[in-house]
Amino acid sequence: MPPRPPPLPPTDPALRAPARGTLAQPAPRYDSEVRAWEHDGWDLPEEERLKRREVSVERPRSVIAWNQSPDLGFDRAVNSYRGCEHGCIYCYARPSHAYLGLSPGLDFETKLIARPDAARVLEKELARKSYVVRPMGLGTNTDPWQPIEAQYRVTRAVLEVLWDWRHPVSITTRGALIERDLDLLGPLAAEGLVEVGISVTTLDAGLARAMEPRAPSPARRLAMIRALSAAGVPVRLMMGPVIPGLTDHEIEALMEAGREAGAKTAWYALLRLPREVSPLFQDWLARHRPNHAGKVMKLLREMRGGRDNDPDFHSRFRGEGPYADLLRARVVAARRRLGYAQSLPPLDCTKFRPPPRPGDQLSLF
C-alpha cells in the first residue's frame, strides 16, 4: 500500500460547490497561517452556502512569460487567465495559485483572474525592436478558452493581435469555445501560423466528469478536433495526462478516436503531481476511485524513482523504468498503425511584420 497522503484540512460541510474538482482548501505554501473548519460543538443545522465563481482583474505590465526549458517546444507564452474553472483535479498549474496567496484547491477553480489588457500589452512587446519572433505558446498554464472567456474575450483579443502581426502560435486547450474563433484560426492555419493541441484524457464520460468536472465531455472534444480539422487547422491529440492504472488502458482507443476525428499527430504525457497537487489528487482517488488508488500510486512511483513527482527535464513528461518504456512503445506502435505523423509541420516565422496602420501610404513602385 502507498503511504498515506498528507492530510488535507477538513472541509466546511455547509459549503455547496457542485461540479468542482475538490472542496479542499489547503493553505498556500507561503502562508504562515493554516485555516481549517472546526465544528463548534452545537448540534444545530448550518445554513448552506453556494460557492460561486469570483473573477478579479489584473492589469499586467508584461504578458509574455519566458522559459528556458529544453523539453518544451516553445520559449514564450501568453496566459489570458490565472486559475481555471475546468477544475481538473490533476492540473499541474494548481500550485501557481499559491503565488497569489490563494489555495491550489477550491480557490484555483473559483477565484479566477482575468487579464483584459493582455492583447494591448502584447502588441507593445511585439513592437519592440529587440523582439525576435519564435512560436508563441497559448494555453501552457491554464486554459485560454475556459468558460469565463465567453464574457472577457481576452484570448480572442490576443489571437487578433497575433493574426495582425502574422505571429506563429501553438495552442493547447480542451475548451469548446475555441470553435467561436475559427474565423481567426482558419486564416492563421492557411498562412502556416497555427497548430492546436486538443487535450483528451479519457473516453469514459463518467470518469471525465469526476476528474475534469467543468471541461467538455470526451465526445465534445473529439467534435472540436473534427471542426478544427475541417477548417484546415493542424490538430495534435494531447493525451495528457496518462494516469497509470486508471486511464493507460485507453491509449490505443484514444489514439484511434483522435485519428478518426482528424488529428494529424498524437502526444502524451505521464501524470505529474507537483507540490500541492499530490495530496489533492490522492484525496480525489480515495473518494472517487478507491479501488484504483493503490495501483495508480504504485505504478506512478515506479516511474518516478519512488517519488510522487519528478521535476527533472525530459523524464517529467515520460517517466522512467519498464512500465514507462512499455507506454512509450505502445504509443509508437499505435502512431505507426494509425498513420499518425511524427510531428506537425514547423510554424512559419518568416511572415512576422507590424500590421498596417490607418494612414499608411501604399507605394506603387
Side-chain angles (χ1 to χ4, degrees):
M1 292 293 292
R4 294 177 62 88
L8 293 172
T11 58
D12 184 346
L15 184 64
R16 290 183 58 245
R20 300 294 180 186
T22 182
L23 296 182
Q25 286 283 62
R29 59 186 175 277
Y30 303 112
D31 273 17
S32 58
E33 297 178 347
V34 176
R35 297 173 178 84
W37 180 88
E38 293 287 347
H39 200 283
D40 60 8
W42 295 105
D43 188 18
L44 296 172
E46 296 283 345
E47 182 178 351
E48 286 191 343
R49 301 185 311 282
L50 180 64
K51 181 65 175 179
R52 298 185 182 277
R53 178 182 72 189
E54 304 172 33
V55 182
S56 303
V57 168
E58 176 187 347
R59 305 291 180 183
R61 289 181 291 181
S62 174
V63 294
I64 299 180
W66 300 87
N67 77 82
Q68 297 179 339
S69 302
D71 56 354
L72 296 178
F74 56 90
D75 65 356
R76 67 202 70 186
V78 173
N79 291 293
S80 305
Y81 305 100
R82 301 185 190 271
C84 186
E85 197 174 5
H86 284 157
C88 304
I89 189 59
Y90 51 72
C91 182
Y92 62 82
R94 284 182 178 272
S96 63
H97 242 42
Y99 296 110
L100 307 174
L102 298 172
S103 172
L106 186 59
D107 281 353
F108 179 78
E109 307 173 38
T110 58
K111 293 188 177 181
L112 312 177
I113 292 91
R115 311 173 86 190
D117 291 341
R120 178 182 59 80
V121 177
L122 173 62
E123 186 152 30
K124 287 185 176 180
E125 293 181 280
L126 298 184
R128 291 173 181 165
K129 292 183 178 180
S130 60
Y131 184 79
V132 178
V133 62
R134 294 285 186 277
M136 184 76 70
L138 195 57
T140 60
N141 194 48
T142 58
D143 202 308
W145 280 277
Q146 60 179 286
I148 60 171
E149 166 64 13
Q151 175 183 354
Y152 286 88
R153 300 174 66 88
V154 178
T155 304
R156 169 79 187 193
V158 167
L159 266 187
E160 288 172 346
V161 169
L162 294 174
W163 166 244
D164 287 345
W165 285 76
R166 300 303 190 266
H167 195 296
V169 56
S170 179
I171 292 169
T172 302
T173 186
R174 64 190 61 190
L177 194 58
I178 191 174
E179 293 181 10
R180 176 202 63 187
D181 297 326
L182 285 173
D183 62 317
L184 288 171
L185 295 168
L188 279 164
E191 297 282 346
L193 296 173
V194 69
E195 61 179 29
V196 177
I198 299 297
S199 177
V200 188
T201 313
T202 177
L203 296 174
D204 182 335
L207 177 58
R209 181 62 184 269
M211 194 165 56
E212 309 156 339
R214 297 202 177 202
S217 70
R220 185 67 185 87
R221 289 182 232 178
L222 292 173
M224 291 158 53
I225 295 177
R226 291 189 185 93
L228 288 160
S229 298
V233 180
V235 180
R236 175 188 293 107
L237 172 68
M238 307 282 284
M239 296 184 293
V242 172
I243 304 175
L246 187 62
T247 66
D248 57 327
H249 67 283
E250 296 187 70
I251 284 176
E252 289 80 5
L254 260 176
M255 294 181 69
E256 188 169 350
R259 187 75 179 114
E260 186 278 331
K264 303 298 185 190
T265 189
W267 179 90
Y268 80 103
L270 185 64
L271 174 67
R272 296 165 56 193
L273 297 178
R275 297 185 180 273
E276 295 92 344
V277 183
S278 181
L280 287 167
F281 181 74
Q282 292 187 65
D283 175 71
W284 179 90
L285 277 175
R287 289 183 292 107
H288 291 274
R289 294 296 187 273
N291 294 334
H292 293 78
K295 182 179 181 181
V296 169
M297 296 309 300
K298 177 180 181 294
L299 290 173
L300 186 66
R301 287 166 181 153
E302 286 178 359
M303 290 186 276
R304 298 296 193 196
R307 298 172 290 176
D308 289 356
N309 188 59
D310 174 12
D312 295 340
F313 294 132
H314 301 293
S315 60
R316 60 178 176 167
F317 289 126
R318 298 289 187 262
E320 297 178 322
Y323 204 84
D325 292 341
L326 177 61
L327 291 181
R328 190 177 301 110
R330 288 172 58 194
V331 171
V332 169
R335 277 191 189 131
R336 186 182 304 115
R337 176 174 61 85
L338 294 167
Y340 275 110
Q342 283 294 108
S343 61
L344 295 175
L347 297 175
D348 190 347
C349 294
T350 66
K351 297 175 181 176
F352 178 75
R353 62 9 172 212
R357 302 299 183 192
D360 287 353
Q361 298 296 315
L362 296 178
S363 174
L364 298 178
F365 304 98

